[in-house]
Amino acid sequence: MVIFRSFASFARLTILTTVTASLCLAAVISGRAEEIWYPVPRPKIDGDKALLRVAYAVNPSFSHMSDAQLAILLAEARQVTRDHFGIELTFSQPEIIGISDLFALRPNVADDEVLEWVYDFKGDSGNRDLLVEDLLERLQTNDSQLDEIYAFAAPHLTSAPLSATAEGFAVALTETLLNRLNVWRIIPANDRRAVIDDTVYNEWTFWDTLAHGALPYDIAITNQLVASAEYYGMDVHSALRGGITVGTTSYSRDGPFHTYAFLSTFPFSNDYVPIVQLRGGARYDEEEAARLAGAYLAHEIGHVLLHLGHPFNQSACVMNPAQLLDFRAWQNNLDAERCALGSSAEMVPGAAKLSYNAAWVLQ
Ligand SMILES: [Zn+2]
């Protein structure tokens, strides 16, 4: 199994990479028989060209990108994809869709089954010990890098670890995750309701399973904040960001490439204090926000079309996840010539071993 959970892991990449190692945990939680996971077929890219169908799913509670910004975003994604992967993209005209209409396209996966993976921070009824265990496991799989991980993460923790052990650190990370996540239950959106309300639009698992049904898009861009906590797939960066996800590539039942990706523009185009802090203090104007989001969409497209992995700490690579939300530094370091396809194991097409839960597709 490819481990996407190391120190620099950014987006919680796909149900596949995050869930497969957690099947035992899933069985414990659900009490059901072990599920069956199939590999996602690699897409066929004819003549290094691809057409991607785009939706822009808008939650009216938040600011959203203008048509002009969307055009910049998609142009930047095309350029970065051409430079780094040698693929010529064509995007459909983005279809503007209300977020409730997009979620109406979700498959008939029982919501209570999906919710079993979700830490219920809204109802304050989640199992904190399970979160700690998951993060501890993540730390222990990166045993040789622990000093480096601690040095990086310590300034970003909301409270210091009570002990200088992996256990103490896992607890501090969990506290940080939940503190930063709960803030969004208080911070008001444009309509004066909290940024994270009682809908499920913020929940990563719902986005991750969105295309297990009849989703007519390959790319779903949204202005929604996707921030949540799950009993699997959290990592150091996810925790420090308060569970914010920028983008994820997941299985698509009907899509021509067998995958779809979502990208949240929220972290690019909002200057809420927690966001600016995670950007290292940076504020982006409208043009820069669109350009950075477009470059980050190219990262997801590398997962979608080529099943590339994460070449951690190879800052020239668009597939190297950004650190926290510092997209400006991330993009400044990109250099296609220094990160060709095949230049490292993670940059070999097929490096990401994507898979999907057959039971969820058949329902
Ligand atoms: Zn990624």
Side-chain angles (χ1 to χ4, degrees), residues 322-339:
Q323 299 237 319
L324 300 178
L325 298 176
D326 192 353
F327 303 109
R328 185 183 286 163
W330 173 81
Q331 189 178 46
N332 284 341
N333 285 321
L334 298 184
D335 184 342
E337 288 188 8
R338 289 177 45 230
C339 187

Side-chain angles (χ1 to χ4, degrees), residues 10 12 18 49 66 70 96 166 224 261 285 298 302 304 321 334-335 342:
F10 179 58
R12 281 168 274 166
T18 51
K49 291 185 167 64
S66 64
L70 272 185
I96 313 297
Q224 171 70 42
D285 63 23
V304 168
L334 298 184
D335 184 342

Side-chain angles (χ1 to χ4, degrees), residues 4 10-13 247-249 296 299-300 303 308-310 318-321:
F4 281 92
F10 179 58
R12 281 168 274 166
L13 172 72
T248 294
T249 297
Y296 219 81
H299 172 106
E300 295 305 330
H303 293 314
L308 297 174
H310 284 154
V318 71
M319 298 311 296
N320 173 47

Side-chain angles (χ1 to χ4, degrees), residues 27-45:
V28 169
I29 292 173
S30 68
R32 291 189 306 272
E34 190 168 300
E35 292 127 341
I36 302 171
W37 294 79
Y38 290 124
V40 177
R42 292 266 304 282
K44 290 191 177 64
I45 311 294

Side-chain angles (χ1 to χ4, degrees), residues 253-270:
R253 188 192 73 183
D254 292 355
F257 302 107
H258 313 295
T259 50
Y260 104 104
F262 76 83
L263 180 86
S264 167
T265 58
F266 190 100
F268 299 91
S269 51
N270 287 281

